[in-house]
Amino acid sequence: MVSRVRQEEARKVWSERRIKHLQSLAGAMGKSPAEAVIESMGATSPPLVEEPKVILDYIVSDGAQVTRPSIDPYREPIETHIHLFSGKVRLSMPFIAKLDDLDEGLGRAVLRASYNLGTLTYYRGGGRGWLDGYEEAVLIDVDTASGMGGEEARRYAGLVVGHNSGERIRFTAAFGRMLGIPVILRHPTSRNLNQIIHATLSGVSGIMLDEDMDEGEEDLEVSLSEADTLLKEKGLRNRVSIIASSRRVRGADDIFKLMGLGADAVCFRDMVQVAVGEGDLETLQDRVECLYLGLQKEVKLLAGAAGVSSLYTTLIGNRELFRAINLDPSIRKRLRIKPGGVG
Amino acid sequence: MNPWETPIHKSGCGVLGILRKSGAGKIPSEQALTAIECVRYRGSRLGAGFASIDLDRGGSAFKVKAFVDSMETAELVDKLLSERQGIRIVERGYEDYDPGRRFNTWVTWVKGEADTVSQAVSEINQVLWGERIRGRIYSWGRFVDVFKGVGYPRDVAESCMLAKGGVEADLWIAHTRQPTNSPGIYPVWSHPFSSHEWAVVHNGDISSFGANMEFLLMSGVRSFVGTDSEVIAYLLDHLTRREGLGIEEAAQLLCNPYDNLCPPHIRRLITRYRGAQLDGPFTVVAGYSDGRDVYLLALTDRSKFRPIVVGEDEERFYVASEEAQIRALSPGARVWTVEPGRYFLASLRRGLIDPGRDSLVAAPYLGNDGWDGGIDAEGMDYRRLNDEIRRRVEAGERRIKVFNVRGQRYLGVGLPPGVKLEIHGVPGNCLGNFNEGVEIEVYGNAQDDVGDTMHAGRIIIHGDARDVIGQALQGGMILVKGNVGNRAAIQMREYMDRRPYLIVGGRADDYFGEYMAGGVAVILGLGVKGEPVGKHVATGMVGGRIYIRGRISEEKVGLQPPRQDVERYLKGLLKEGLITPQTYQKIIEEGASFKAVERHLTGKPLKRIWRLFENKHTKQLEIEYRKLTSEDIELIKPALTEFWKTFNLPPNLLQQTLNQEYTIIHPR
C-alpha cells in the first residue's frame, strides 16, 4: 500500500510523461505554451494503467452526465478565483508557489509571474530585499520577517508562523490582528491535529499543512482531509483557509483533487522547477506565466467536466465529486471518499 | 448509516408554485393538481407530491409527519419525541392507513421550541435511516403540510384526499418526479422536502451537493435521504432560522452570483457560509411562512439549465416549469421568466418583492378567439393532437387552425412543406423542430426549444418565446414579436444559399448566439429600456452576424477574464516599466476591456496580457457600434420588412429603425 512520500522519495513521482506535459504548458518545449493539452479518449493515467505512486493516483473525478451537463470552459465562465483568510486575499487561481530555496533568478521569475497573475508565493529564506515591490504576492515566514516593523509587515499578503510554540502562535495572531494581516499556521502532516483547532481559536486565518516538514507522519491527502473534517466537526471550517503544501504536487489533477479533499489553495514547488527549465529572467517569468495559465485551463476543464462552475463555492471539500479505485479501504474512509461504482 | 457516506439520488422533473394575494380567496388543492398534471409527461410514476402553507392553520403545535413501516416504528417515533425534554405530544395517529403500502403516514402533534423539535427530528431520522429504512419524518411545521407518495400527481392527490373537494391553503407547491439515479420506489425520495416552515420542490441535479452536505454536517444536520433536493430545504431553513438571515439574503447565497456581479455584503456572506451555494442545474420552488406572512420563492442557476416561468394575475402569483401550467389556471396571467442566476420572491402580504429580472417585460395575452372550425385542443394529450393534425394533412388540408392549445409538445414536427399551422394558445416545447418548410404562426407565447434544427419555412410568434429558440437553425426564418429567453440562436449555421434568420422584437437573455456559425440574428429592443440582451453574447461564435440595436457593453460579448485579473496584470506591466501610468489609467478608465487593451497597447505588453483574453480555443470577436452600411441593409432589410408586415407595425418605424446605430458582432 501507499506509504508516506518522503522528500527523498519525492522525485519518484515525476514520470517522463508528467515532465514533458509541464514543459509543454510552460513553453519550455512544444509549440503551444499556456494551452491545455487535449488528448484523445482513453487514458494511460493511474490507477488502472500507470502504476499509482501516491494516494491521489487512486482518486478519480466522477464526471458530469446528462442531467448535470458539463461546462465548456472555453465558451462559458468557470470561476477559478478563491477568497482566502475570510475574504482578505483574492487569488485568481488557487496556486501558491514555494520560493524557499529556488535560485534567485527563478525565484524572481516566480514572484513576478505570481503577482501578475494574481496568485501568491510563500517565502521562508534568507534576505527579503529582493521581494521589494512584490510583497503583496508573498506570504512571508516570521523567521524571515524578523525585525520587521508594522508598516513593512502590512505590505505582505500574510505572515506564516511555525507550529512549535503555542505562545508564538498566539503572539503572532495577536500581532496580525492588530495590523490587519492574515496569520497562517504552518503545520506538519501529523496524526494529532489538535493544534490547528487551538490556533484557529486564537485567531489565525489560515492553516498550511506542509508535507515537507520533517515532523510529518501522514500523507498529505490523509492529513488534509482529516484537518478539513476536524474543523468542520468543530464548526470552525469557514473561519480558516487551508493550504495544502507539498513538493510532490505535480499538476492540475493533483491540485483539483487536493481541493476536493478540503484545500482552499495548493502550495507547490518542484512542479515549477521541472516545468520551466533554464533561461534569463524574462524567459523564466514568461514560462511560469504560461505554466500557470495552462494549469488554470486544465483546472477549468476538470471543473467543467464535473459540472462545477465555481471552485471556491463548489469544489473545496466536495468529496462527492470523487471516487476511489482500488484504494485501501482504511485510507479511503479517512478521506471520506466513496469507492468507485457507488451512487 | 454513517451520514458522511449517504448514497445519493437525483432527479429532473416538473415543478409548480401558487401563492394567493392578499384579499384573494384561498387556493383549493385541485388547482395545484390541475396545474402539475398539465406537465404529467415531465414526471413518472416514481414520485409526486404537494405542500401547502396556510397561516390560519398555525396553532401552537407542530404537525410532525413521518413515513413509518409499522406500528412499532410509529411507537418508536413517539417514544423518541416524548423522551426529549421540552417536547410534549398532544395528539397522534395515522393520517390514512393502507396495509398494502410499505409506508404509511403517522402524524404526531407536538408542542415545544422549533430548535428542540428540529434536533429531535434530525436524531430520530438518523435512527430510522439505518441499513433497513424504517421510515422518515418528512415534515414538522405549524403552517406547512406535506403530502407525497409514489405515483403520478393524480395518484398521490387521490390517496391524500387532495383531488376533489380537497384542502384549501394560502400557498401550494407541487412536483412530478423523473428520477434519474434513484430507485424512487419509496415515498421517502418524493418531493416536496421540508424543514420547519420551508417546503421545497426542485428540478435539477446539483454539482454542489457534496459541498452543501458538508456545510450541513458542519451545522449539525446528521441524517439525509440522499437527494440534492432535501439539502436545499435544509439549507434554507438553516440559514433563515439558525443563522437569522433574511429570505432574500438566503436566496442570493443559494443562487451563488458570479463574483463580478456579487454585491460586497453577499460576497462576505458567501465566505462566511461557504458550502451553502448551489451549483449545476436547478430550478427550485419553495414555500415558507414565518407565522406572519407566506412567501413563494423560486431560484434558478447561473446557466439556467432548467426551465422556469413566473406569472401573476389579480389574485395570485405562479411559478412553473412550463407556461401552460399557469395558463391552465389563469389564461390571461402575465407571464415572464427569471434571469439566469436570479430569484423570484412574492409574499401574501407584501405582494411582488423581486420579479427575478431587472426589466419586467411580458407580452400581452392575446386571448383565444374560440373554435371556428379548426381543432379544439382543449384537454387533448399531445400525441392525440399531433395525430389529428397529421390526419388532416394526409386528408389534403393545407391550412390548419388549432385552438385552446395548452402545452402540447412537438407541434408542427414532421409535417410536409407548404402546410400552414395556426396556433392559438401556448404550444408546448419543441415547436416546429426539424421544420422543412412549414409555416407556423403562434397567437400567444411559445415555450422552450422552438425551431430546433429547422431547415426551411417560417415560425412566427406573436408573443414571447422562452429558452433555446432557434438552436441549430439552418434555414428559414423565425420572427418573435416579443422577447426570447436564454440561449437563443445558439449554433445557428448556414450552407451555401441557405441562410437562416432569427429576428427578436424585444430582448434576449444570456448566451444569445452562442457557438453561432452562420446566419443572421437580430435583436431590435423595441420598447425595451436599457440594453436588450444579457451576458455572454456570441460566446464561441465562429460565423454569421449578430445585430443588436443600440450600444452593448463590451464585457457582455464573448467570454472575458475577470476584470480584477486584467487590472492586476496591468499593474504588473506597470511595475516592470513596460507601460506608463498614463496608459494604465486610460485602460482602467475604459473598463479594462479587450478593446481598451487593444487600443492602448502594442508589442510585448499587448502580446503578454493578450494571453488572458485569447487562446487556441477562445477568440475575441469583432464588435462594431455604428450605423448600418448598404451591405448590412441588404442583409437584414428583407427579413425586417417581413417582420414589419407580419406584425403590422407602422412602416415609418422600419425606416427609423434602419437609420439607427447598432452593435454588430461577428468573428474577426
Side-chain angles (χ1 to χ4, degrees), chain B residues 479-492:
Chain B
L479 308 175
V480 182
K481 188 177 180 192
N483 312 293
V484 297
N486 220 30
R487 291 179 208 266
I490 68 172
Q491 301 180 40
M492 267 175 72

Side-chain angles (χ1 to χ4, degrees), chain A residues 11 38 40 45 52 61 99 128 136 161 176 183 193 195 207 210 253 259 271 292 299 306 338 340:
Chain A
R11 63 192 161 81
I38 294 178
S40 61
S45 48
S61 167
L99 299 174
R128 56 181 191 260
E136 207 183 321
V161 62
V183 170
L193 295 168
Q195 195 178 36
I207 308 288
D210 194 342
D253 50 346
M259 291 180 82
M271 182 169 72
Y292 275 27
V299 168
K338 293 176 185 168

Side-chain angles (χ1 to χ4, degrees), chain A residues 35 67 72 75-76 79 90 115-116 133 136 232 238 264 282 285 289 307 309 312-314 336, chain B residues 4 205 207 214 256 259 274 279 302 306 487 514-515 539 565 568-569 572 575-576 604 616:
Chain A
E35 297 290 350
T67 56
D72 168 1
R75 319 290 187 280
E76 306 198 2
E79 297 182 310
R90 176 189 183 273
Y115 178 88
N116 289 354
E136 207 183 321
K232 280 176 176 160
N238 283 348
D264 293 82
E282 196 181 321
Q285 184 190 336
E289 288 185 10
S309 75
Y312 181 63
T313 64
T314 310
R336 298 199 283 108
Chain B
W4 298 93
D205 181 355
S207 56
E214 299 260 326
N256 197 7
D259 198 50
R274 191 180 63 191
D279 199 352
R302 304 167 151 194
R306 289 292 185 273
R487 291 179 208 266
E514 183 180 27
Y515 299 104
T539 173
D565 295 0
R568 174 55 90 84
Y569 203 95
K575 277 188 196 290
E576 289 174 45
K604 198 189 287 176
K616 210 160 140 185

Side-chain angles (χ1 to χ4, degrees), chain A residues 32 34-35 38 65 67-69 72-77 79 81 83 86-87 90 92 112 114-118 133-134 136 228 232-233 235 237-238 264 282 285-286 289-290 293 297 306-310 312-314 316-321 332-333 336 338 343, chain B residues 4-8 10 180-181 205-211 214-215 218 256 258-260 267 270-275 277 279-281 302-303 305-306 487 511 514-515 536 539-540 559 562 564-565 568-569 571-573 575-576 604 608 611-612 615-618:
Chain A
S32 300
E35 297 290 350
I38 294 178
Q65 32 71 27
T67 56
R68 166 156 57 86
D72 168 1
Y74 291 109
R75 319 290 187 280
E76 306 198 2
E79 297 182 310
H81 73 270
H83 300 287
S86 303
R90 176 189 183 273
S92 69
R112 285 185 175 196
S114 302
Y115 178 88
N116 289 354
L117 294 178
Y134 289 93
E136 207 183 321
D228 178 61
K232 280 176 176 160
E233 282 169 356
R237 180 62 184 87
N238 283 348
D264 293 82
E282 196 181 321
Q285 184 190 336
D286 196 58
E289 288 185 10
C290 287
L293 290 168
K297 289 192 189 83
V308 168
S309 75
S310 160
Y312 181 63
T313 64
T314 310
I316 298 167
N318 187 345
R319 291 157 179 84
E320 189 54 50
L321 296 171
R332 186 181 63 70
K333 283 189 178 138
R336 298 199 283 108
K338 293 176 185 168
Chain B
W4 298 93
E5 287 208 0
T6 310
I8 62 161
K10 301 160 177 171
T180 44
N181 295 348
D205 181 355
I206 52 177
S207 56
S208 58
F209 174 62
E214 299 260 326
F215 174 83
M218 175 166 64
N256 197 7
Y258 283 117
D259 198 50
N260 61 331
R267 191 177 297 131
I270 287 177
T271 299
R272 184 153 169 206
Y273 301 113
R274 191 180 63 191
Q277 296 73 37
D279 199 352
R302 304 167 151 194
S303 299
F305 278 138
R306 289 292 185 273
R487 291 179 208 266
Y511 294 107
E514 183 180 27
Y515 299 104
H536 309 301
T539 173
L559 185 61
Q564 296 104 308
D565 295 0
R568 174 55 90 84
Y569 203 95
K571 273 190 199 161
L573 292 174
K575 277 188 196 290
E576 289 174 45
K604 198 189 287 176
R608 279 181 47 190
R611 288 196 192 115
L612 300 185
N615 59 61
K616 210 160 140 185
H617 307 284
T618 311

Side-chain angles (χ1 to χ4, degrees), chain A residues 44-160:
Chain A
T44 57
S45 48
L48 295 174
V49 181
E50 271 182 21
E51 189 200 344
K53 296 192 172 87
V54 293
I55 293 175
L56 289 176
D57 289 341
Y58 293 88
I59 299 171
V60 296
S61 167
D62 188 31
Q65 32 71 27
V66 185
T67 56
R68 166 156 57 86
S70 54
I71 304 165
D72 168 1
Y74 291 109
R75 319 290 187 280
E76 306 198 2
I78 289 183
E79 297 182 310
T80 61
H81 73 270
I82 53 154
H83 300 287
L84 289 181
F85 318 136
S86 303
K88 286 200 192 76
V89 173
R90 176 189 183 273
L91 294 196
S92 69
M93 37 190 125
F95 308 159
I96 299 174
K98 223 180 234 193
L99 299 174
D100 277 26
D101 48 350
L102 293 180
D103 70 65
E104 202 184 305
L106 182 54
R108 266 180 210 278
V110 173
L111 179 62
R112 285 185 175 196
S114 302
Y115 178 88
N116 289 354
L117 294 178
T119 70
L120 289 180
T121 59
Y122 164 52
Y123 183 56
R124 179 171 175 265
R128 56 181 191 260
W130 64 282
L131 306 171
D132 195 26
Y134 289 93
E135 295 91 338
E136 207 183 321
V138 182
L139 299 173
I140 192 149
D141 202 280
V142 288
D143 291 342
T144 304
S146 61
M148 190 187 281
E151 201 175 316
E152 191 190 343
R154 271 202 200 95
R155 294 207 289 266
Y156 288 88
L159 291 175
V160 179

Side-chain angles (χ1 to χ4, degrees), chain B residues 224-282:
Chain B
F224 299 90
V225 300
T227 89
D228 47 4
S229 319
E230 181 190 38
V231 304
I232 298 171
Y234 289 162
L235 287 172
L236 285 167
D237 181 31
H238 178 82
L239 293 171
T240 52
R241 178 166 55 94
R242 304 288 299 280
E243 303 293 341
L245 296 188
I247 300 172
E248 291 186 84
E249 284 174 324
Q252 284 188 75
L253 265 185
L254 262 62
C255 283
N256 197 7
Y258 283 117
D259 198 50
N260 61 331
L261 304 170
C262 195
H265 76 284
I266 297 295
R267 191 177 297 131
R268 276 195 295 277
L269 288 178
I270 287 177
T271 299
R272 184 153 169 206
Y273 301 113
R274 191 180 63 191
Q277 296 73 37
L278 305 183
D279 199 352
F282 59 87

Side-chain angles (χ1 to χ4, degrees), chain B residues 600-613:
Chain B
H600 298 290
L601 298 184
T602 53
K604 198 189 287 176
L606 177 63
K607 187 174 165 242
R608 279 181 47 190
I609 199 168
W610 199 243
R611 288 196 192 115
L612 300 185
F613 293 98

